[in-house]
Amino acid sequence: MTSPAKDAPKPGHTDPAIIRNFSIIAHIDHGKSTLADRMLQLTGVVGERAARAQYLDRMDIERERGITIKSQAVRMPWTVSADASAELDIDAGTHVLNMIDTPGHVDFTYEVSRSLEACESAVLLVDAAQGIEAQTLANLYLAMSAELHIIPVLNKIDLPGANPEKYAAELAGLIGCDPSEVLRVSAKTGEGVEDLLNEIVKQTPPPVGDADAPPRAMIFDSVYDTYRGVVTYVRVIDGRLKHRDRIKMMSTGAVHEMLEVGVISPEPVKAGEIALGEVGYLITGVKDVRQSRVGDTVTAQHGGATEPLSGYKHPVPMVFAGLYPIDGDDYPTLRDALDKLQLNDAALTYEPETSGALGFGFRCGFLGLLHMEITRDRLEREFNLELISTTPNAVYEVTMEDGSLHQVTNPSEYPEGKIAEVREPVVRATILTPSEFIGTVMELCQNKRGNLQGMDYLSEDRVEMRYTLPLADIVFDFFDQLKSRTKGYASLDYEPVGDQSADLVKVDILLQGETVDAFSAIVHRDAAYSYGVMLAGKLKDLIPRQQFEVPIQAAIGARVIARETIRAIRKDVLAKCYGGDISRKRKLLEKQKAGKKRMKMVGTVEVPQEAFIAALSTTESAEKPGKK
């Protein structure tokens, strides 16, 4: 029987041989956070009174949606008993486990890849009632490419619908191990979790590095604290970092004094130093968020390292959308908020842009639609902002007939003139589904201009389908449709694989002959008519009636493809006529008609903010991401 350690080794004085750095990777809703909760309780770092579900999910959004958005590192002491030591052939005594709980959604893959770089092994968690999901595969390949040791685990074995034998064989086939080597646990009841902790100690290699070399530590995450400035999370690769040392950021050359150093257990715990193999945090009091970049190498100012660590490959944004403050005075606040959020979310990119309809804002790049939704939600909650987001779109390359090349991230940048070719980004999608839904999934992918690349049966009743699909066609309602057609059983993962030529056009929305740039969109020619009809009809209901008739037109270049008309508000000028000659009534109506005509020539259509919010909201047309 194993037990929590009472006298865990102090940070900085820990022998690297007893350190084990691992992460938990899995699909959404397969029990990562619940397993992390059990580990925190079993190792004694969280007492019974402080314990709560999803302990490491710190944000309200994470707890509301039941998903992990930010990876969280925590240091746990674990004592291996004499019995377990003899049975598993490992050293008895207290070991230090540094665990990183990672997100499971495809949009937060960059969080997972950064976390894996700070570890030596990965616990691959699979639901014993659902089996392998597409994102599980994606995270497994990430861990394998980082050369981590994989520990396969089946969770939720207490469920009535669990089928551990079937899915253990599926896991074993993927990893190349024996089905008996797949561990079985129930994170909810705690069954098998102690054995898993012992196996982590046994199977995870201790960290390697040079304890006497100049210090080198990799920044794998950071967060902004209003009172203390930038808090930087690091994994020490060589040497040691001490309290009050002067440290240097190797990419920027910035030098700071360390005001505090420590470990997360799971709350911050001060230490005199952190050494080889340890995961901890640094506070320098710096308020400038650009001073601490994810992937940078921290070393000593004097006698420091000369070669930086390899860092991370920066992710390429997949989806772009404009974020604008509803109140124009909030623009500086939004700029500062994006600066601070980018520190905590390194995959977010942004640059200033202006819109004739919406004013000053930012063009932001995201890894997917859920990433966009979460970012907007966090900006509104954490920084008290009210925002409008424009319709998300991908990046296009437009080649003109004169040979000039334009990169288009916003429909307003779409060039005028004769276009030779438009290229759009393409993704390779992996879809895992029960075999009974193959036909309906194929139909959906073909409707979205997809090409089947291959298909493999993982077991008798589960199939993996690989498609190439245009990114623009899957960022909206593709996932919703996939789930509804497969009764919720299918899962999706995708990655960029280049671009392709496509027949794309820009659809403009005109109000009284004037283009409203916020409503423009780049769509496939076959879908242009339906998009124009849909948006024109939407705006007709949203824009209030004026004193004059307002035409709403959807157009490709000079050709109008759809039209709706907002009828004028008409005063009853005949109300004062009681009987009398018809010519008197005609004269009044003609006078009103002339007035309306004159008003239409000089009048402008005021589009209320509510109309922009409702027309540009992605809730009706876009994926409503949550649990996959």
Side-chain angles (χ1 to χ4, degrees):
M1 174 71 186
T2 47
S3 61
K6 303 298 181 193
D7 50 348
K10 295 288 184 285
H13 303 282
T14 310
D15 180 359
I18 65 166
I19 295 177
R20 301 290 186 270
N21 296 321
F22 72 98
S23 64
I24 305 177
I25 54 174
H27 194 81
I28 278 183
D29 205 28
H30 278 212
K32 291 184 307 301
S33 298
T34 311
L35 180 61
D37 291 343
R38 288 297 81 72
M39 288 181 171
L40 292 175
Q41 288 175 343
L42 277 171
T43 54
V45 294
V46 175
E48 290 296 326
R49 292 184 66 183
R52 63 169 193 264
Q54 287 177 265
Y55 191 91
L56 293 178
D57 291 345
R58 304 298 171 91
M59 285 186 274
D60 292 341
I61 306 171
E62 292 181 311
R63 306 182 71 76
E64 286 167 17
R65 290 172 176 256
I67 61 174
T68 301
I69 294 164
K70 283 294 300 171
S71 55
Q72 298 287 348
V74 60
R75 176 187 172 106
M76 306 179 296
W78 179 247
T79 302
V80 177
S81 68
D83 292 345
S85 168
E87 184 184 338
L88 297 172
D89 192 24
I90 49 177
D91 295 333
T94 302
H95 291 71
V96 173
L97 309 182
N98 287 315
M99 173 183 70
I100 303 180
D101 180 24
T102 62
H105 194 282
V106 60
D107 284 10
F108 303 107
T109 300
Y110 186 51
E111 283 283 322
V112 181
S113 66
R114 296 205 321 264
S115 303
L116 295 177
E117 292 289 335
C119 301
E120 275 78 36
S121 75
V123 172
L124 181 70
L125 201 65
V126 172
D127 189 328
Q130 296 182 51
I132 307 284
E133 302 275 10
Q135 191 58 34
T136 317
L137 274 180
N139 287 338
L140 171 62
Y141 297 146
L142 274 178
M144 285 177 163
S145 63
E147 298 182 356
L148 300 193
H149 178 77
I150 310 295
I151 303 172
V153 180
L154 283 174
N155 189 25
K156 304 190 184 182
I157 58 168
D158 58 309
L159 290 181
N163 192 344
E165 300 307 321
K166 174 184 172 185
Y167 294 124
E170 207 170 274
L171 258 179
L174 268 176
I175 298 168
C177 65
D178 192 84
S180 62
E181 294 172 32
V182 178
L183 300 171
R184 294 160 171 76
V185 303
S186 169
K188 189 175 180 181
T189 64
E191 182 187 345
V193 178
E194 287 187 8
D195 294 335
L196 172 58
L197 287 165
N198 287 330
E199 286 293 338
I200 288 168
V201 171
K202 179 184 178 182
Q203 295 187 37
T204 304
V208 291
D210 189 345
D212 301 318
R216 289 197 304 173
M218 170 85 83
I219 300 176
F220 68 88
D221 204 0
S222 43
V223 65
Y224 186 83
D225 185 287
T226 311
Y227 304 104
R228 315 180 83 184
V230 177
V231 180
T232 304
Y233 296 103
V234 297
R235 154 75 195 270
V236 183
I237 306 297
D238 293 321
R240 58 187 64 237
L241 294 169
K242 298 178 184 175
H243 178 56
R244 291 293 178 189
D245 272 359
R246 292 190 69 76
I247 57 168
K248 177 181 171 185
M249 305 293 181
M250 293 189 77
S251 72
T252 60
V255 175
H256 314 290
E257 183 183 0
M258 276 200 296
L259 304 180
E260 187 176 320
V261 60
V263 295
I264 311 290
S265 186
E267 305 304 324
V269 177
K270 280 188 193 178
E273 62 181 27
I274 52 174
L276 166 65
E278 293 190 300
V279 176
Y281 69 92
L282 316 173
I283 297 176
T284 57
V286 173
K287 299 281 184 178
D288 182 0
V289 296
R290 295 175 190 84
Q291 297 279 1
S292 182
R293 295 189 177 280
V294 164
D296 199 356
T297 304
V298 180
T299 189
Q301 180 189 6
H302 303 295
T306 53
E307 283 293 314
L309 297 162
S310 57
Y312 305 113
K313 182 185 175 186
H314 202 74
V316 179
M318 306 270 279
V319 176
F320 285 84
L323 286 178
Y324 294 85
I326 288 178
D327 181 353
D329 293 340
D330 283 340
Y331 177 75
T333 313
L334 176 59
R335 184 182 56 224
D336 293 343
L338 282 166
D339 261 352
K340 289 170 183 173
L341 194 63
Q342 191 181 43
L343 183 73
N344 194 229
D345 182 359
L348 174 66
T349 62
Y350 63 92
E351 59 184 33
E353 76 167 359
T354 54
S355 159
L358 301 173
F360 292 98
F362 290 91
R363 191 81 189 153
C364 302
F366 308 96
L367 297 186
L369 220 60
L370 178 62
H371 187 209
M372 172 185 153
E373 195 178 317
I374 294 292
T375 301
R376 179 180 163 179
D377 214 345
R378 288 186 68 185
L379 286 168
E380 290 184 335
R381 289 185 191 213
E382 295 174 24
F383 302 97
N384 224 7
L385 291 163
E386 286 188 74
L387 303 172
I388 298 175
S389 58
T390 61
T391 311
N393 61 273
V395 189
Y396 303 97
E397 272 192 1
V398 182
T399 308
M400 309 301 287
E401 286 196 347
D402 62 5
S404 60
L405 191 68
H406 299 264
Q407 193 169 62
V408 178
T409 61
N410 187 341
S412 63
E413 298 169 1
Y414 201 80
E416 301 290 332
K418 293 188 175 180
I419 293 169
E421 185 186 46
V422 183
R423 299 190 72 81
E424 64 177 345
V426 179
V427 297
R428 182 193 292 118
T430 304
I431 300 167
L432 267 66
T433 178
S435 51
E436 64 191 277
F437 300 116
I438 289 175
T440 186
V441 171
M442 281 183 164
E443 184 191 357
L444 171 64
C445 292
Q446 281 162 5
N447 290 343
K448 297 291 184 181
R449 300 187 284 136
N451 290 315
L452 182 64
Q453 300 298 306
M455 192 165 75
D456 290 315
Y457 279 83
L458 296 176
S459 62
E460 290 178 11
D461 54 357
R462 281 168 65 79
V463 66
E464 174 188 331
M465 303 168 75
R466 295 178 298 283
Y467 269 91
T468 53
L469 289 151
L471 175 64
D473 279 26
I474 70 164
V475 293
F476 284 114
D477 59 349
F478 182 81
F479 182 67
D480 263 6
Q481 288 194 40
L482 180 68
K483 281 292 187 188
S484 62
R485 285 171 180 243
T486 60
K487 301 179 182 176
Y489 284 112
S491 62
L492 167 74
D493 178 57
Y494 59 85
E495 60 177 352
V497 289
D499 54 20
Q500 69 180 15
S501 180
D503 187 11
L504 301 174
V505 291
K506 178 190 175 190
V507 178
D508 286 316
I509 300 296
L510 291 79
L511 285 180
Q512 213 180 339
E514 293 289 321
T515 303
V516 183
D517 61 346
F519 295 134
S520 300
I522 298 168
V523 296
H524 194 269
R525 192 179 294 276
D526 295 345
Y529 173 73
S530 56
Y531 174 81
V533 169
M534 179 273 295
L535 199 55
K538 212 174 185 184
L539 290 174
K540 182 187 177 184
D541 297 333
L542 293 168
I543 297 174
R545 290 168 69 185
Q546 315 286 318
Q547 292 284 344
F548 49 91
E549 190 177 86
V550 178
I552 303 170
Q553 297 167 306
I556 299 173
R559 184 166 66 89
V560 175
I561 57 170
R563 174 181 169 130
E564 293 281 357
T565 304
I566 302 172
R567 310 305 304 179
I569 299 173
R570 185 175 159 220
K571 181 182 176 185
D572 189 0
V573 293
L574 304 182
K576 57 189 176 184
C577 297
Y578 294 98
D581 188 32
I582 189 68
S583 61
R584 169 69 179 152
K585 294 181 181 178
R586 279 206 190 110
K587 186 178 177 184
L588 286 169
L589 290 169
E590 287 298 323
K591 188 179 176 185
Q592 184 186 40
K593 189 176 177 182
K596 295 278 185 196
K597 192 174 181 181
R598 194 165 58 250
M599 190 184 287
K600 186 171 183 179
M601 290 171 70
V602 297
T604 56
V605 183
E606 288 294 323
V607 183
Q609 292 283 22
E610 295 76 34
F612 277 114
I613 295 168
L616 296 174
S617 68
T618 55
T619 49
E620 285 188 23
S621 59
E623 166 190 351
K624 282 294 285 178
K627 294 185 180 183
K628 279 196 178 180

